[in-house]
Amino acid sequence: MTAIVVANVWIGIPFNMVILYGGLQSILPQLYEAASLDGAGAWQKFRHVTWPQLRPTSSVVVMLGLIYTIKAFDVVMVLTQGGPAVPD
């Protein structure tokens, strides 16, 4: 089971990071500048600017991750050769 989890994480992380990176690139720098002028620190910028702006992108990442996990039958079959009850 650990091998299956590691394989799914190994397969899914790069795709999710590319999508999230694209979402980060779409956040306007003016929002961070305005937050700095209002006296926001790093945590406040993340909480009030970055996270709300990434919410639609992260929703897509979660939905695609859920779909991928549901359809991960092929990875389980390859790693377990059909499971523990397969006769030789």
Side-chain angles (χ1 to χ4, degrees):
M1 190 60 138
T2 304
I4 294 168
V5 170
V6 169
N8 277 326
V9 168
W10 184 266
I11 291 169
I13 289 290
F15 179 68
N16 292 338
M17 288 299 111
V18 168
I19 294 174
L20 288 172
Y21 184 66
L24 283 172
Q25 294 293 316
S26 69
I27 299 175
L28 297 174
Q30 291 86 358
L31 295 174
Y32 292 112
E33 182 180 356
S36 294
L37 290 174
D38 289 340
W43 173 250
Q44 290 172 327
K45 287 180 191 177
F46 175 76
R47 184 170 172 231
H48 297 292
V49 177
T50 305
W51 186 246
Q53 293 291 316
L54 275 183
R55 194 165 290 147
T57 305
S58 59
S59 298
V60 170
V61 167
V62 168
M63 183 62 67
L64 289 175
L66 179 65
I67 291 169
Y68 179 76
T69 301
I70 290 171
K71 72 173 205 79
F73 176 75
D74 57 342
V75 175
V76 175
M77 279 298 289
V78 167
L79 291 175
T80 64
Q81 285 85 34
V86 175
D88 288 328

